[in-house]
Amino acid sequence: MSIDKRAGSAAEALADVPDGATVLISGFGGAGFPNVLIRALRDRAPKALTLVVNSATHRYSLTHELIEAGLVRKVVCTAARGRDNEPSPFERLWVEGRIKLECVPQGTFAERIRAGGAGIPAFYTPVGVGTELAGGKERRTFEGRDYILEPAIKGDLALVRADAADRYGNLAFRYAQMNFGPVMAMAARVAVAEVRAVLSEPMPHDRVQLPGTFVDRVVAVGA
Amino acid sequence: MSIDKRAGSAAEALADVPDGATVLISGFGGAGFPNVLIRALRDRAPKALTLVVNSATHRYSLTHELIEAGLVRKVVCTAARGRDNEPSPFERLWVEGRIKLECVPQGTFAERIRAGGAGIPAFYTPVGVGTELAGGKERRTFEGRDYILEPAIKGDLALVRADAADRYGNLAFRYAQMNFGPVMAMAARVAVAEVRAVLSEPMPHDRVQLPGTFVDRVVAVGA
Amino acid sequence: MQPLNRLQIAWRAAQDIEDGMLVNLGIGIPVHVADYLRPEADVFIQSENGVIGAGPLAPPDRIDTDLVDAGSRRITLRPGGSIVDSAWSFAMIRGGHIDVTILGAFQVAANGDLANWDMRLPDKGPLVGGAMDLAACARAVWVVMEHTTRQGEPRLLEACTLPLTAVRCVRRVYTDLAVIDIVPAGMVVRELVDGMSPADLEARTGAPLAFAPDCRELTAPPIAMG
Amino acid sequence: MQPLNRLQIAWRAAQDIEDGMLVNLGIGIPVHVADYLRPEADVFIQSENGVIGAGPLAPPDRIDTDLVDAGSRRITLRPGGSIVDSAWSFAMIRGGHIDVTILGAFQVAANGDLANWDMRLPDKGPLVGGAMDLAACARAVWVVMEHTTRQGEPRLLEACTLPLTAVRCVRRVYTDLAVIDIVPAGMVVRELVDGMSPADLEARTGAPLAFAPDCRELTAPPIAMG
């Protein structure tokens, strides 16, 4: 039976997401948010999710809908500050103690996810040394410089946005859509991509930016 | 003054390589060997080099010429066995104790070089646990599985082969040429690429596989 | 005495960018540095979201919602520019490949400690983004900021009181009043705005200042705040 | 009694590859597994040098010296195939994304220990390549090898005597005489070549063998050694 990772709809692609799942969601700087998948996840409504997402409050991302719907137990992110004076949905729940937060420097965030997908359980980084985000972390000196130990992040599910896919799950991104997509897909047990279009032919090898071997399901959602 | 990384010749690109340099050389599986640069390095003849190269004995690579010329103090590699019954140049010097060898599993080799370029001083890996290549390395358990600590590798110089470059040092590779090129260029203080052709125009962004910000000098050498 | 406005601070920092540098610009005043680069300085601006060679803002008819910088601004890509994923982008940052990052700050200490990520506002979440990676790992860290808070409190201090971004990282500070280098002995004033005495500056600064023997006047061309 | 030849061993292993698997094949007998995959099993073959979807050897008129596998063979790329750099290739391997790796071996122990990288030959250097990464991190490790050395010494042992590649990693062994699973209790023979008694196999094996209640005949179609 030949490989075919095309799902009929976002809902179908997410039909098996369980309560308690750790969900990695791509997108940064206004590009690459898998908003169709995020909304389908909200509709499916699994409970007690842990979200691993660059921003808990980005205005172009629908991540806040998962938070507002009360589906999220914890957010691991680099940004949790809303733009407005009025608290964002995340900030409201966080101040009330109803949602947990792990704030991570962005490079450490990307590298911990990459490590999760690449079989590295932990690595040392100079980032955060001497700051409160190093609190409780092992500190170690290599060649006269201080570093802290950071653990890998893995997910049950990754939601990724790309431009094009083929039946094998190969992905091509437009411009800054890429951001966390490749590492998140690699680090998750099940990676689902929404794309503008699914090609009818296999993607040419030199256009593939993320091999389909890291992608489990693709959904065409249009522009 | 506008950026222009084009060197007039391989010799010019390597004119400042000092004795004792650590040189990373790309190429694997028969593709991506920077043989024009390797020969230019042999002609320049810096002494007491440490080579970081996938194979010390590959028949399509000219690495052996550096070894035969007596320029190499140590080789860090994944493969040091010649194909023939008769010892290869490396094996002859190694058996005589005139060259040092550090044999590294290939994924650890790639990851240590990437770490060197990515500011990671050390990371844990499951590869090699329980083998003699883990000898002397720190062992640690994460979530019930054993890992060893591996240090980063950095270089003074990287020699890389690609298909095309532009004046900014952007590189595009053909097929399996890529292999260690990106991580080696990133991990070296000075990265030199030999390419089939240097484009007269800037490379289109979606053709760039290694940004020129990691590449210092490019030399067109033809096919 | 005419302090520089925010765009003039950006202009002044831009004058120190050298040919061929790879530069990262933070959100706020720093992104405006790009507008004042000398044309002959062939600079690549890196944005944490993976854009290498960020160009000017896109004109309305050329906006592409996928071509954005880390601040979600719709930008263009300069010739020779390219885009990498976040792991590569931060490998570039953490690996020391960024020549200089220009960041905003809440506070800078005499030893180079930087606080620029968390003002501890009530009801507001933290936002660290790439600040810690950039501050800890760029080859040079320059800060552009106003010399004091709106309430007139100094931002240059003996020790930061807000949460740190990175320790001993800032090399130079551009403010509306002065250009100050941070060296092992502390803060050294290199340029001072016309009409301000060393004592005036010291009164607005929370750390000891040395004045360079060749301390010059801090000037900038007129630039209207947009 | 007709032992399988090397290509027949590869054929037998190929029969166990399931639909859609991502498979890595070692140098030697293992690469030939690709030649005997069932057409309906839509398999991607990964090669350590970054090729994902390695196809058959290139015909002479379509050889491209840049399109090679980890064994330096000039290959083709299957539809949907792509190529990544070595860091990504081994992220894929070490990260547990390879469904099965089929490797050659010098020795396999009853606890699944594998020795396949260093025969300790005089005057010959070591060659570890990607063997340790694959053996330690693929979801399943299968070995294809001849049951004994040319000198008739067993390769299946209580404990390996040659340097280990990885510990407790081998799940299944295909030899010219038998198919053997490695389970926590030790080696279990699943298939045995016609005309060989359990006692005969035990005599050629250096570790205790259990025989599955449903132990079958190991058969393969005739394949001439090229």
Side-chain angles (χ1 to χ4, degrees):
Chain A
M1 204 181 69
S2 84
I3 297 170
D4 190 351
K5 297 181 175 176
R6 294 171 292 187
S9 67
E12 184 188 315
L14 301 180
D16 56 358
V17 181
D19 289 353
T22 294
V23 184
L24 319 183
I25 303 179
S26 75
F28 175 30
F33 297 112
N35 279 338
V36 174
L37 290 172
I38 292 172
R39 194 155 274 171
L41 185 64
R42 184 201 61 182
D43 293 346
R44 155 130 191 107
K47 306 287 185 297
L49 300 176
T50 294
L51 299 188
V52 178
V53 59
N54 183 61
S55 170
T57 62
H58 198 286
R59 63 196 185 282
Y60 297 150
S61 163
L62 296 184
T63 299
H64 65 88
E65 294 194 356
L66 300 173
I67 293 168
E68 282 173 307
L71 305 179
V72 180
R73 188 184 67 82
K74 180 179 176 183
V75 176
V76 180
C77 67
T78 85
R81 187 187 303 155
R83 306 179 84 203
D84 306 319
N85 285 332
E86 187 173 331
S88 64
F90 170 82
E91 288 165 312
R92 205 158 39 234
L93 290 169
W94 177 60
V95 167
E96 293 170 7
R98 290 165 58 200
I99 196 167
K100 289 186 187 168
L101 169 65
E102 180 179 350
C103 183
V104 183
Q106 197 166 57
T108 302
F109 180 81
E111 190 70 10
R112 286 176 63 188
I113 297 166
R114 178 188 178 275
I120 305 289
F123 59 89
Y124 290 94
T125 174
V127 177
V129 168
T131 77
E132 66 179 41
L133 295 191
K137 294 183 186 288
E138 176 186 316
R139 188 163 164 162
R140 183 157 172 173
T141 303
F142 293 93
E143 297 180 7
R145 188 172 180 190
D146 288 339
Y147 298 85
I148 54 176
L149 185 67
E150 292 282 359
I153 294 175
K154 288 185 181 189
D156 299 299
L157 175 69
L159 307 183
V160 169
R161 168 89 195 187
D163 186 56
D166 64 14
R167 63 181 298 150
Y168 301 107
N170 290 310
L171 298 185
F173 299 91
R174 286 190 76 246
Y175 293 114
Q177 269 189 338
M178 188 157 31
N179 58 73
F180 298 100
V183 292
M184 286 184 167
M186 178 166 72
R189 204 169 42 72
V190 175
V192 183
E194 64 171 64
V195 297
R196 182 183 51 78
V198 175
L199 309 177
S200 54
E201 297 295 316
M203 192 177 288
H205 74 92
D206 52 4
R207 201 181 155 200
V208 175
Q209 291 176 287
L210 182 68
T213 48
F214 292 117
V215 178
D216 299 283
R217 299 166 197 168
V218 297
V219 190
V221 302
Chain B
M1 203 181 71
S2 84
I3 297 169
D4 190 351
K5 297 182 175 176
R6 294 171 292 188
S9 68
E12 184 187 314
L14 301 180
D16 56 357
V17 180
D19 290 353
T22 294
V23 184
L24 318 184
I25 303 178
S26 74
F28 174 31
F33 297 111
N35 279 338
V36 174
L37 291 172
I38 293 172
R39 192 154 276 171
L41 186 64
R42 184 203 60 183
D43 293 346
R44 157 132 188 104
K47 307 286 185 297
L49 300 176
T50 295
L51 299 188
V52 178
V53 59
N54 184 62
S55 169
T57 62
H58 198 286
R59 64 196 184 281
Y60 296 150
S61 163
L62 295 183
T63 300
H64 65 88
E65 294 194 357
L66 300 173
I67 293 167
E68 281 173 308
L71 305 178
V72 180
R73 188 185 67 83
K74 180 179 176 182
V75 176
V76 181
C77 67
T78 85
R81 188 187 303 155
R83 304 180 86 204
D84 306 319
N85 285 334
E86 186 174 333
S88 65
F90 170 82
E91 288 166 313
R92 204 157 41 233
L93 290 169
W94 177 60
V95 167
E96 293 169 8
R98 291 165 57 200
I99 195 167
K100 288 185 188 169
L101 168 65
E102 180 179 351
C103 182
V104 183
Q106 196 166 56
T108 302
F109 180 82
E111 190 69 11
R112 287 177 62 188
I113 297 166
R114 178 189 178 275
I120 305 289
F123 59 89
Y124 290 93
T125 174
V127 176
V129 169
T131 77
E132 65 178 41
L133 294 192
K137 295 183 186 287
E138 177 187 314
R139 187 163 165 161
R140 184 158 171 172
T141 304
F142 293 93
E143 296 179 7
R145 188 171 180 191
D146 288 339
Y147 298 85
I148 53 176
L149 185 67
E150 292 282 359
I153 293 175
K154 287 185 181 191
D156 299 298
L157 175 69
L159 307 183
V160 169
R161 169 87 195 187
D163 185 55
D166 64 14
R167 63 182 297 150
Y168 301 106
N170 290 310
L171 298 186
F173 299 91
R174 286 189 76 246
Y175 293 113
Q177 268 188 339
M178 188 157 32
N179 57 72
F180 298 100
V183 292
M184 286 184 167
M186 178 166 71
R189 202 168 44 71
V190 175
V192 183
E194 66 170 64
V195 298
R196 182 184 50 78
V198 174
L199 309 176
S200 55
E201 297 295 317
M203 192 177 288
H205 75 92
D206 52 5
R207 201 182 155 198
V208 175
Q209 291 177 287
L210 183 67
T213 49
F214 293 116
V215 178
D216 299 283
R217 298 166 197 169
V218 298
V219 190
V221 301
Chain C
M1 200 272 295
Q2 185 63 43
L4 272 51
N5 67 30
R6 293 158 58 89
L7 295 180
Q8 288 174 309
I9 300 174
W11 177 90
R12 176 59 192 87
Q15 306 315 303
D16 291 344
I17 302 285
E18 291 168 25
D19 279 354
M21 274 185 166
L22 179 61
V23 178
N24 178 289
L25 302 175
I27 292 171
I29 309 182
V31 289
H32 292 289
V33 170
D35 301 333
Y36 305 113
L37 293 171
R38 290 165 296 121
E40 70 277 16
D42 192 8
V43 166
F44 274 76
I45 295 172
Q46 196 256 18
S47 190
E48 302 95 279
N49 66 334
V51 175
I52 300 160
L57 291 178
D61 60 327
R62 283 185 52 209
I63 280 178
D64 185 311
T65 56
D66 291 325
L67 183 47
V68 293
D69 67 10
S72 304
R73 304 181 323 144
R74 277 82 188 257
I75 58 169
T76 52
L77 201 59
R78 64 154 282 173
S82 60
I83 294 170
V84 296
D85 75 8
S86 294
W88 267 95
S89 177
F90 280 92
M92 187 177 294
I93 292 169
R94 196 178 39 241
H97 304 278
I98 304 292
D99 293 304
V100 59
T101 186
I102 304 181
L103 300 172
F106 305 138
Q107 298 175 335
V108 174
N111 66 353
D113 285 0
L114 170 68
N116 82 343
W117 73 282
D118 191 354
M119 288 192 69
R120 286 288 143 87
L121 298 176
D123 297 353
K124 297 308 290 179
L127 192 168
V128 67
M132 286 192 182
D133 300 85
L134 287 160
C137 301
R139 288 192 203 153
V141 177
W142 299 346
V143 161
V144 293
M145 66 177 188
E146 275 141 349
H147 204 90
T148 60
T149 67
R150 286 180 203 174
Q151 292 74 37
E153 298 295 318
R155 295 178 182 273
L156 292 166
L157 302 169
E158 290 252 37
C160 297
T161 59
L162 287 167
L164 293 185
T165 306
V167 297
R168 298 173 185 278
C169 61
V170 178
R171 189 176 298 181
R172 179 169 276 199
V173 183
Y174 302 87
T175 78
D176 50 334
L177 304 179
V179 176
I180 296 170
D181 279 352
I182 295 184
V183 301
M187 293 179 172
V188 179
V189 182
R190 297 286 178 200
E191 300 184 15
L192 187 57
V193 78
D194 183 38
M196 169 155 283
S197 70
D200 290 340
L201 191 71
E202 281 171 333
R204 289 166 167 79
T205 305
L209 294 176
F211 289 79
D214 60 345
C215 183
R216 288 178 310 235
E217 183 183 337
L218 171 55
T219 60
I223 306 176
M225 288 295 294
Chain D
M1 202 270 296
Q2 186 63 42
L4 272 52
N5 67 30
R6 293 158 59 90
L7 295 180
Q8 288 174 308
I9 299 173
W11 177 90
R12 177 60 194 85
Q15 305 316 301
D16 291 344
I17 302 286
E18 291 168 24
D19 280 354
M21 274 185 166
L22 179 60
V23 178
N24 178 289
L25 302 175
I27 292 171
I29 309 182
V31 289
H32 291 289
V33 169
D35 302 333
Y36 305 113
L37 294 171
R38 289 165 296 120
E40 70 277 16
D42 192 8
V43 166
F44 274 75
I45 295 172
Q46 195 257 17
S47 190
E48 302 95 279
N49 65 335
V51 175
I52 300 161
L57 290 179
D61 61 328
R62 284 187 50 212
I63 280 178
D64 185 312
T65 56
D66 291 325
L67 183 47
V68 293
D69 67 10
S72 304
R73 305 180 323 143
R74 277 84 188 256
I75 58 170
T76 51
L77 202 58
R78 64 154 282 175
S82 61
I83 293 170
V84 295
D85 76 8
S86 294
W88 267 94
S89 178
F90 280 93
M92 187 177 294
I93 292 169
R94 194 178 42 242
H97 305 277
I98 305 291
D99 293 305
V100 60
T101 186
I102 305 182
L103 300 172
F106 304 138
Q107 298 175 335
V108 174
N111 67 353
D113 286 359
L114 170 67
N116 82 343
W117 73 283
D118 191 354
M119 288 192 70
R120 286 288 142 86
L121 297 176
D123 298 353
K124 298 307 290 178
L127 193 168
V128 66
M132 286 193 182
D133 299 85
L134 287 161
C137 301
R139 288 193 203 152
V141 177
W142 298 346
V143 161
V144 292
M145 65 177 189
E146 274 141 349
H147 204 91
T148 60
T149 67
R150 285 180 203 172
Q151 292 74 36
E153 298 296 317
R155 295 177 182 274
L156 293 165
L157 302 169
E158 291 252 36
C160 296
T161 59
L162 287 167
L164 293 186
T165 306
V167 297
R168 300 174 183 279
C169 61
V170 179
R171 188 177 299 180
R172 179 169 277 198
V173 183
Y174 301 88
T175 78
D176 50 333
L177 304 180
V179 176
I180 296 170
D181 278 353
I182 296 185
V183 300
M187 294 180 173
V188 179
V189 182
R190 297 285 177 201
E191 299 184 15
L192 188 57
V193 78
D194 184 39
M196 168 154 285
S197 70
D200 289 341
L201 191 71
E202 282 171 333
R204 289 166 167 79
T205 306
L209 294 175
F211 289 80
D214 59 347
C215 183
R216 288 178 310 233
E217 182 182 339
L218 169 56
T219 60
I223 306 175
M225 290 294 295

